[in-house]
Amino acid sequence: MKNTHELNSISEMCEADSHNQLTDLDPLGMDSDSLIQDFRHYFTHTLGRDRRCCSNHYYYKALAQTLRDRLMERWKNTRYAYDEGNCKRTYYLSMEFLMGRALRNAMLNLDVEADVKDGLEELGIVMEDLVEMEHDAGLGNGGLGRLAACFLDSCATLQLPVTGYGIRYEYGMFRQVIEDGYQLEEPDHWLRDGNPWELERPEYAQRIHFGGRTEHFVDPEGKHHARWVDTHDVLAVPFDNPVPGYRNGTVNTLRLWKAAATDEFDLDEFNAGDYADAVEAKNQAEHISMVLYPNDASENGKALRLRQQYFLASASLKDVIRGWKRAHKDFSEFSSKNCFQLNDTHPTIAVAELMRLLVDIERLDWDDAWEITSQTMAYTNHTLLPEALERWSVPLFKQLLPRLLEVIYEINARFLSEVSARWPMDTQRLGRLSIIEEGPVKQVRMAHLAIVGSFSVNGVAALHSELLKQGLFRDFYEIWPEKFNNKTNGVTQRRWMIACNPGLTQLLNETIGESWAYQLDDLKGLRQQASDHAFQQRWMAVRRENKVRLSNTIWRDCGVKFDPDALFDVQVKRMHEYKRQLLNLLHVLHLYDRIKQGDTENWTPRCVLFGGKAAPGYARAKQIIKLINNVARVVNRDRQVRELLQVAFLPNYRVTAMEIIAPGTDLSEQISTAGKEASGTGNMKFMMNGALTIGTLDGANIEIRDAVGEEHFFLFGHSAQQVQDLRPHYNPEHFIQGDNRLSRVMSLLESGHFNQFEPGLFDAIAQSIRSPQDPWLVAADFSSYIDAQQRASEHFNWSERWAQSSILNTACSGFFSTDRTMQEYNRDIWQLNPMAPLTMEMK
Ligand SMILES: *Cc1c(COP(=O)(O)O)cnc(C)c1O
């Protein structure tokens, strides 16, 4: 027995106020007095604290509420403008949004930071302390999730009607603790103290189906239909998060879905006396949004992950269709007014779900539904690594989503018949292209479904997009060359320069004006200052302050003293073999070896910082963390060494850590095996903040080097083509014997010097470097890496030259703003019209 009243009772509350009387209010004051008055009101009346309470936590909450009110009115005006403009919209579907903190971003974009700071100061409260109270919203693993967050920021700033859809994980990315050099994972219960920014909207809850079976029937007019029955349903409850644009009145929406049990009860179970069991079964529903899977760039194949993907796709599509039907009588214009951008293959089940909704629920013909779907979906690929390519076993699919599997089979059958019409008898090609992979257990290839179902397929940097066409997706490129395009990633300069590097921001504003905040290309005005000695000194003074700030963080969190006058050499990113933290560590061992040999003439003192999380099941990445920590301990304890070389592993790398790290970095390590890093975005944050890059010709490094000029970038290593050519006959011993520096470093590593009380601990790592099967070619790139590091050291010793290169890196970073990335997506894929929020006069 089923009932659905729990959806109706709340939705009746909506759709009222058509005459604005209820919700038209005078705008809230943005001056210091108004802000502080509201701050005191929230502290005293809403939070119920008094003079005995001086907790920064409650001050933070009161300030967040104060700002949220200001966002709320702009949010409503933005929604009204999009609704009344009947404009085309894009929905960004992503399993991850790595938002970080929101407080400073809100103040920056509302342009109230100075007033808030002054007002709080009069109350004896330090604003910076309140900023530190906020927990990161860590709903993502790394680059892919942070990209989604930067995209939202730029879309709001460009006033594009783009909504983010994601999952409101109860537990975000785990907190990393280092104990005895090993990574431990602790749960990230980020919502425990409440989330002042989100707005629950139970009135828009959706019912999501799982399991059950399908029935096929013929209606009275003789048409065939399918229905999905005996399902186990879960509610998806939306929580909206404001995404403010930069000082433009726009507030876009990030809508995150939380899973909740329906209010239904299995009466049979209840009658059998298993009351508690029946309640427990309901509890299971909420597991869907319980935790973010902590795997970066690899699939794990768990059923719960497929549930999460379908939960996101189905809830979001139903939400969009609900909004559509409020204003439209049919779907004839749907594809010209809506676009879904799929952030990697994770939400690709949306292709099949939209077909199901249009055909089974809205009763469109298959061909019409397919026309709509394939003109509405757009797919972004984020990786070429085979272990990241998502495939789901057909039996699992059939059990969890039986109707979706039928839809996918139908899509595949029609697609393959087109292929065989064009290439008759080419069964090999059919096998390569099919959405279903044959084998002992058949698999659904999600990337194939994404390509077949989308009108646009893009990579995330020039090289990556080329490699997609030539390699992984070659057969698809042959069919649909026009679908394929490149959109080089970016980052938002509002968070990654203005909010995190106030010293640099002030210097830039004084030198070239303030327009770079929303037109990053204007940084090129700096180029003429790059060789000005007085400017170089001001530049380096700002950089030194940032290095002191970073050095204090490292002292607090690692107990290692970084000398701000040394070269700060930084590699922070997820721990992964393809990113080659190990190669960086071999360079550290080489420097250590040189110091121990007394080979230290013209030495450049270096502080080498590592940071990054390893997926909990990725044993090799965790061993490398342990090795870094062991090397750091030996190096930092040695009096002879530590004046010349320091090493630290900063625990719990996350957005908030990067906000301190990027401004204080001299040398940015971007050293992945060429062809493996799709784009990288950390590289861009460092460049903007004036770091020089040491890197391979991989991902966006290539575009960074082209932008700044080769003399301001330390290039090394095999190119993607050379990697491919070397691979079949790779012989690491050839490189080890061929470079005395590498053979010494390998001996040092294998001697047990760094694991004296843990014999054999790093044998497997050393063996992996010596293995002809090493996919990452660590030994092959060692020599040219060490040479490039030597060039970097010499460059750093000539401080005017370093200052000039640093200034030019910032000056040439304009291309790497997500404002540019979003304009390209909009020009080539979305074709949205910017739309300003309604103001009082317009209403
Ligand atoms: C930018 C960023 C990343 C991506 O870094 P890459 O070096 O491009 O892999 C990952 N995690 C966090 C917290 C970031 O801010």
Side-chain angles (χ1 to χ4, degrees), residues 785-804:
Y785 180 55
I786 301 301
D787 294 344
Q789 289 285 19
Q790 181 58 29
R791 295 201 300 279
S793 283
E794 288 164 16
H795 202 113
F796 190 77
N797 273 351
W798 185 359
S799 56
E800 290 83 9
R801 207 156 62 102
W802 189 276
Q804 181 191 29

Side-chain angles (χ1 to χ4, degrees), residues 99-116:
M99 302 298 283
R101 289 174 175 162
L103 179 67
R104 192 195 300 281
N105 191 247
M107 292 191 290
L108 173 69
N109 288 6
L110 291 170
D111 199 9
V112 296
E113 191 170 347
D115 286 324
V116 167

Side-chain angles (χ1 to χ4, degrees), residues 688-719:
M688 279 178 191
N689 284 282
L692 279 68
T693 304
I694 182 166
T696 48
L697 286 176
D698 202 13
N701 294 353
I702 298 171
E703 290 154 83
I704 286 176
R705 179 166 167 270
D706 287 345
V708 70
E710 59 181 17
E711 61 279 36
H712 310 289
F713 183 108
F714 305 106
L715 177 70
F716 75 95
H718 289 72
S719 67

Side-chain angles (χ1 to χ4, degrees), residues 604-623:
T604 304
R606 271 198 197 232
C607 298
V608 184
L609 181 67
F610 291 87
K613 294 171 184 173
Y618 191 171
R620 174 56 50 82
K622 293 176 124 177
Q623 286 170 349

Side-chain angles (χ1 to χ4, degrees), residues 223-239:
K223 284 177 72 179
H224 287 258
H225 297 283
R227 64 181 158 232
W228 188 4
V229 298
D230 294 343
T231 54
H232 298 278
D233 294 355
V234 173
L235 288 187
V237 182
F239 286 68

